[in-house]
Amino acid sequence: MSTDKKINLLKWKQEEDGFLNDNAMKAKLDKMGYRSVRYVFHQGTDFPDHTHPMTKMDTITTGRFSVTMYGQRVVMEPGDIIEVPKETVHSAEVVGSEPVVFFDSTK
């Protein structure tokens, strides 16, 4: 599937955001106007194609998390934030054996 849309991936900037940890990430998301829920996903966790009725920001502080959207795949690293626009088909899965600490954030 061809599209001109691109995954909007933001990176943690230690010089601006400070040392990456769960509290710092939650504070950054709060400052951006998002309410967040923290989850831990383990090896084998897989979310097949789905959508959400609202725009979300998904971020991780540990592990690696693969996200596929717009026919593109990115592997999130700690500190990465991805915008998932409402009603956009996407899928995700844990990569590797390290647990993923994940913040599910909405306005």
Side-chain angles (χ1 to χ4, degrees):
M1 176 165 120
S2 168
T3 181
D4 58 354
K5 295 183 180 181
K6 301 254 186 244
I7 294 176
N8 183 14
L9 176 68
L10 306 172
K11 296 281 188 182
W12 186 265
K13 297 178 182 158
Q14 187 166 341
E15 63 280 357
E16 295 173 20
D17 301 319
F19 183 75
L20 176 62
N21 60 41
D22 290 356
N23 290 334
M25 181 58 78
K26 183 165 182 341
K28 180 180 179 89
L29 293 164
D30 289 348
K31 187 175 180 183
M32 293 170 67
Y34 287 88
R35 290 174 297 165
S36 302
V37 177
R38 181 184 178 275
Y39 296 96
V40 177
F41 301 138
H42 296 279
Q43 183 177 18
T45 301
D46 179 33
F47 300 96
D49 282 351
H50 64 284
T51 63
H52 302 281
M54 77 293 282
T55 295
K56 298 181 358 152
M57 287 292 202
D58 292 343
T59 187
I60 66 171
T61 57
T62 65
R64 298 177 73 223
F65 198 60
S66 171
V67 176
T68 302
M69 185 167 49
Y70 308 128
Q72 303 158 30
R73 178 181 181 260
V74 298
V75 176
M76 297 175 70
E77 302 283 341
D80 287 354
I81 301 172
I82 285 186
E83 179 182 41
V84 180
K86 71 178 183 175
E87 304 302 336
T88 300
V89 176
H90 62 287
S91 61
E93 66 182 322
V94 172
V95 175
S97 59
E98 183 180 0
V100 170
V101 174
F102 177 92
F103 286 85
D104 182 8
S105 306
T106 58
K107 285 192 175 184

